Short mmCIF file of all heavy atoms in Angstrom, two decimals:
data_model
loop_
_atom_site.label_atom_id
_atom_site.label_comp_id
_atom_site.label_asym_id
_atom_site.label_seq_id
_atom_site.Cartn_x
_atom_site.Cartn_y
_atom_site.Cartn_z
N THR A 1 85.49 244.55 -89.37
CA THR A 1 85.81 243.20 -88.88
C THR A 1 87.28 243.09 -88.56
O THR A 1 88.13 243.83 -89.13
CB THR A 1 85.45 242.17 -90.01
OG1 THR A 1 86.22 242.45 -91.18
CG2 THR A 1 84.02 242.15 -90.30
N LEU A 2 87.61 242.21 -87.65
CA LEU A 2 89.00 242.08 -87.18
C LEU A 2 89.83 241.30 -88.21
O LEU A 2 89.44 240.24 -88.69
CB LEU A 2 89.03 241.36 -85.86
CG LEU A 2 88.36 242.05 -84.68
CD1 LEU A 2 88.17 241.07 -83.52
CD2 LEU A 2 89.11 243.30 -84.24
N LYS A 3 91.05 241.81 -88.49
CA LYS A 3 91.97 241.07 -89.28
C LYS A 3 93.07 240.45 -88.39
O LYS A 3 93.42 239.30 -88.52
CB LYS A 3 92.67 241.98 -90.34
CG LYS A 3 93.68 241.28 -91.17
CD LYS A 3 94.36 242.17 -92.20
CE LYS A 3 95.37 241.37 -93.03
NZ LYS A 3 96.05 242.27 -94.01
N ASP A 4 93.56 241.27 -87.48
CA ASP A 4 94.47 240.83 -86.42
C ASP A 4 94.25 241.70 -85.19
O ASP A 4 93.40 242.57 -85.24
CB ASP A 4 95.93 240.77 -86.91
CG ASP A 4 96.41 242.15 -87.37
OD1 ASP A 4 96.23 243.14 -86.62
OD2 ASP A 4 97.05 242.21 -88.40
N GLU A 5 95.10 241.56 -84.15
CA GLU A 5 94.77 242.30 -82.93
C GLU A 5 95.09 243.79 -83.03
O GLU A 5 94.85 244.55 -82.11
CB GLU A 5 95.48 241.70 -81.73
CG GLU A 5 96.97 241.74 -81.74
CD GLU A 5 97.53 241.15 -80.43
OE1 GLU A 5 97.52 241.92 -79.42
OE2 GLU A 5 97.98 240.01 -80.46
N HIS A 6 95.62 244.23 -84.16
CA HIS A 6 95.87 245.65 -84.34
C HIS A 6 95.11 246.21 -85.59
O HIS A 6 95.25 247.37 -85.85
CB HIS A 6 97.35 245.93 -84.50
CG HIS A 6 98.12 245.65 -83.25
ND1 HIS A 6 98.07 246.41 -82.09
CD2 HIS A 6 98.99 244.64 -83.00
CE1 HIS A 6 98.82 245.91 -81.21
NE2 HIS A 6 99.44 244.85 -81.71
N THR A 7 94.45 245.37 -86.32
CA THR A 7 93.93 245.79 -87.61
C THR A 7 92.48 245.38 -87.84
O THR A 7 92.10 244.24 -87.48
CB THR A 7 94.76 245.16 -88.78
OG1 THR A 7 96.15 245.39 -88.53
CG2 THR A 7 94.36 245.77 -90.13
N VAL A 8 91.68 246.29 -88.43
CA VAL A 8 90.35 245.94 -88.83
C VAL A 8 90.18 246.28 -90.31
O VAL A 8 90.98 247.05 -90.89
CB VAL A 8 89.25 246.73 -88.04
CG1 VAL A 8 89.38 246.42 -86.54
CG2 VAL A 8 89.29 248.25 -88.32
N VAL A 9 89.19 245.70 -90.93
CA VAL A 9 88.87 245.92 -92.33
C VAL A 9 87.48 246.47 -92.39
O VAL A 9 86.55 245.92 -91.87
CB VAL A 9 88.99 244.66 -93.18
CG1 VAL A 9 88.63 244.92 -94.67
CG2 VAL A 9 90.43 244.07 -93.05
N ALA A 10 87.29 247.55 -93.18
CA ALA A 10 85.99 248.18 -93.35
C ALA A 10 85.92 248.76 -94.76
O ALA A 10 86.79 249.50 -95.20
CB ALA A 10 85.71 249.31 -92.35
N ASP A 11 84.88 248.34 -95.50
CA ASP A 11 84.70 248.72 -96.89
C ASP A 11 85.94 248.46 -97.75
O ASP A 11 86.32 249.26 -98.58
CB ASP A 11 84.33 250.25 -96.95
CG ASP A 11 82.85 250.49 -96.77
OD1 ASP A 11 82.06 249.49 -96.82
OD2 ASP A 11 82.45 251.64 -96.52
N GLY A 12 86.57 247.37 -97.49
CA GLY A 12 87.70 246.93 -98.25
C GLY A 12 89.04 247.62 -97.92
O GLY A 12 90.05 247.39 -98.55
N ARG A 13 89.01 248.48 -96.89
CA ARG A 13 90.22 249.26 -96.48
C ARG A 13 90.65 248.75 -95.09
O ARG A 13 89.88 248.43 -94.25
CB ARG A 13 89.94 250.74 -96.44
CG ARG A 13 91.05 251.60 -96.06
CD ARG A 13 90.73 253.04 -96.00
NE ARG A 13 91.74 253.86 -95.45
CZ ARG A 13 91.64 255.16 -95.17
NH1 ARG A 13 90.50 255.79 -95.44
NH2 ARG A 13 92.63 255.82 -94.60
N GLU A 14 91.99 248.71 -94.87
CA GLU A 14 92.53 248.32 -93.62
C GLU A 14 92.84 249.53 -92.78
O GLU A 14 93.32 250.56 -93.25
CB GLU A 14 93.82 247.48 -93.82
CG GLU A 14 93.53 246.14 -94.43
CD GLU A 14 94.71 245.23 -94.41
OE1 GLU A 14 95.80 245.67 -93.95
OE2 GLU A 14 94.67 244.09 -94.95
N TYR A 15 92.53 249.43 -91.47
CA TYR A 15 92.86 250.45 -90.51
C TYR A 15 93.59 249.78 -89.34
O TYR A 15 93.17 248.71 -88.86
CB TYR A 15 91.61 251.07 -89.91
CG TYR A 15 90.70 251.81 -90.92
CD1 TYR A 15 89.84 251.05 -91.74
CD2 TYR A 15 90.70 253.20 -91.10
CE1 TYR A 15 89.03 251.67 -92.64
CE2 TYR A 15 89.90 253.84 -92.00
CZ TYR A 15 89.06 253.06 -92.78
OH TYR A 15 88.22 253.67 -93.70
N SER A 16 94.65 250.44 -88.83
CA SER A 16 95.48 249.81 -87.76
C SER A 16 95.61 250.78 -86.60
O SER A 16 95.51 252.02 -86.75
CB SER A 16 96.86 249.47 -88.28
OG SER A 16 96.82 248.49 -89.26
N ALA A 17 95.75 250.18 -85.43
CA ALA A 17 95.90 251.01 -84.20
C ALA A 17 96.62 250.17 -83.17
O ALA A 17 96.73 248.93 -83.28
CB ALA A 17 94.53 251.46 -83.65
N ASP A 18 97.14 250.81 -82.08
CA ASP A 18 97.79 250.10 -81.08
C ASP A 18 96.81 249.19 -80.30
O ASP A 18 97.19 248.08 -79.88
CB ASP A 18 98.41 251.11 -80.05
CG ASP A 18 99.47 252.01 -80.63
OD1 ASP A 18 100.38 251.44 -81.25
OD2 ASP A 18 99.34 253.24 -80.47
N ASN A 19 95.64 249.65 -80.08
CA ASN A 19 94.60 248.90 -79.36
C ASN A 19 93.25 248.94 -80.05
O ASN A 19 93.00 249.91 -80.80
CB ASN A 19 94.45 249.40 -77.93
CG ASN A 19 95.76 249.24 -77.13
OD1 ASN A 19 96.55 250.17 -76.98
ND2 ASN A 19 95.97 248.03 -76.59
N ILE A 20 92.43 247.97 -79.77
CA ILE A 20 91.06 247.92 -80.30
C ILE A 20 90.10 247.69 -79.18
O ILE A 20 90.33 246.84 -78.28
CB ILE A 20 90.94 246.80 -81.31
CG1 ILE A 20 91.80 247.07 -82.57
CG2 ILE A 20 89.44 246.63 -81.78
CD1 ILE A 20 91.91 245.91 -83.54
N ILE A 21 88.99 248.43 -79.16
CA ILE A 21 87.91 248.18 -78.21
C ILE A 21 86.66 247.74 -79.04
O ILE A 21 86.24 248.43 -79.96
CB ILE A 21 87.54 249.45 -77.42
CG1 ILE A 21 88.70 249.86 -76.49
CG2 ILE A 21 86.28 249.23 -76.58
CD1 ILE A 21 88.48 251.13 -75.67
N ILE A 22 86.11 246.57 -78.69
CA ILE A 22 84.86 246.09 -79.29
C ILE A 22 83.73 246.53 -78.44
O ILE A 22 83.61 246.21 -77.25
CB ILE A 22 84.94 244.55 -79.43
CG1 ILE A 22 86.09 244.09 -80.27
CG2 ILE A 22 83.59 244.01 -79.97
CD1 ILE A 22 86.32 242.63 -80.33
N ALA A 23 82.83 247.26 -79.03
CA ALA A 23 81.66 247.84 -78.33
C ALA A 23 80.43 247.70 -79.21
O ALA A 23 79.73 248.68 -79.51
CB ALA A 23 81.89 249.33 -77.93
N THR A 24 80.16 246.50 -79.69
CA THR A 24 79.17 246.29 -80.72
C THR A 24 77.75 246.04 -80.23
O THR A 24 76.82 245.80 -81.00
CB THR A 24 79.60 245.08 -81.59
OG1 THR A 24 80.00 243.98 -80.75
CG2 THR A 24 80.78 245.46 -82.49
N GLY A 25 77.57 246.07 -78.90
CA GLY A 25 76.20 246.06 -78.35
C GLY A 25 75.53 244.67 -78.44
O GLY A 25 76.17 243.67 -78.44
N SER A 26 74.17 244.72 -78.52
CA SER A 26 73.44 243.48 -78.51
C SER A 26 72.25 243.59 -79.46
O SER A 26 71.96 244.64 -79.99
CB SER A 26 72.95 243.20 -77.06
OG SER A 26 72.09 244.24 -76.64
N ARG A 27 71.57 242.48 -79.58
CA ARG A 27 70.31 242.43 -80.41
C ARG A 27 69.34 241.56 -79.67
O ARG A 27 69.67 240.82 -78.73
CB ARG A 27 70.60 241.83 -81.80
CG ARG A 27 71.09 240.40 -81.82
CD ARG A 27 71.36 240.03 -83.25
NE ARG A 27 71.74 238.59 -83.39
CZ ARG A 27 72.95 238.13 -83.23
NH1 ARG A 27 73.97 238.94 -82.96
NH2 ARG A 27 73.22 236.87 -83.35
N ALA A 28 68.07 241.62 -80.03
CA ALA A 28 67.02 240.82 -79.40
C ALA A 28 67.29 239.36 -79.55
O ALA A 28 67.71 238.84 -80.63
CB ALA A 28 65.67 241.16 -80.00
N LYS A 29 67.10 238.60 -78.48
CA LYS A 29 67.25 237.17 -78.45
C LYS A 29 65.87 236.56 -78.76
O LYS A 29 64.93 236.76 -78.04
CB LYS A 29 67.73 236.70 -77.09
CG LYS A 29 68.05 235.19 -76.99
CD LYS A 29 68.28 234.78 -75.56
CE LYS A 29 69.53 235.41 -75.01
NZ LYS A 29 69.82 235.00 -73.61
N MET A 30 65.81 235.77 -79.83
CA MET A 30 64.56 235.13 -80.26
C MET A 30 64.60 233.69 -79.92
O MET A 30 65.42 232.93 -80.46
CB MET A 30 64.38 235.37 -81.73
CG MET A 30 64.41 236.80 -82.16
SD MET A 30 63.08 237.83 -81.37
CE MET A 30 61.69 237.41 -82.43
N PRO A 31 63.75 233.21 -78.99
CA PRO A 31 63.74 231.85 -78.62
C PRO A 31 63.17 230.94 -79.73
O PRO A 31 62.46 231.43 -80.62
CB PRO A 31 62.83 231.81 -77.36
CG PRO A 31 61.91 232.96 -77.55
CD PRO A 31 62.69 233.98 -78.31
N PRO A 32 63.48 229.64 -79.69
CA PRO A 32 63.04 228.71 -80.75
C PRO A 32 61.59 228.31 -80.53
O PRO A 32 61.25 227.14 -80.13
CB PRO A 32 63.96 227.54 -80.60
CG PRO A 32 64.35 227.53 -79.16
CD PRO A 32 64.36 228.99 -78.75
N ILE A 33 60.67 229.25 -80.81
CA ILE A 33 59.21 229.01 -80.66
C ILE A 33 58.61 228.85 -82.05
O ILE A 33 58.86 229.71 -82.92
CB ILE A 33 58.55 230.13 -79.93
CG1 ILE A 33 59.14 230.20 -78.48
CG2 ILE A 33 57.04 229.90 -79.83
CD1 ILE A 33 58.63 231.46 -77.72
N ALA A 34 57.80 227.85 -82.25
CA ALA A 34 57.15 227.66 -83.59
C ALA A 34 56.26 228.89 -83.84
O ALA A 34 55.51 229.32 -82.96
CB ALA A 34 56.31 226.39 -83.58
N GLY A 35 56.33 229.47 -85.03
CA GLY A 35 55.54 230.61 -85.39
C GLY A 35 56.10 231.94 -85.02
O GLY A 35 55.49 232.97 -85.24
N ILE A 36 57.34 231.94 -84.53
CA ILE A 36 57.93 233.25 -84.07
C ILE A 36 58.25 234.16 -85.26
O ILE A 36 58.45 235.33 -85.09
CB ILE A 36 59.23 232.95 -83.24
CG1 ILE A 36 59.48 234.20 -82.33
CG2 ILE A 36 60.39 232.65 -84.12
CD1 ILE A 36 60.41 233.86 -81.23
#
């Protein structure tokens, strides 16, 4: 997860870099249908 524009947190540890690329993909979109 993002802490700031140079830092992420994972498993309680901080990692830093000059740049970050978010490439987290997608998931199925479930419409609001009764019984879904």
Side-chain angles (χ1 to χ4, degrees):
T1 58
L2 297 167
K3 179 180 179 181
D4 57 48
E5 66 176 281
H6 295 288
T7 310
V8 302
V9 178
D11 276 347
R13 179 181 171 186
E14 293 187 1
Y15 299 80
S16 295
D18 297 311
N19 297 97
I20 297 172
I21 295 177
I22 299 171
T24 47
S26 62
R27 63 183 185 274
K29 183 189 296 182
M30 303 299 280
I33 299 172
I36 203 164

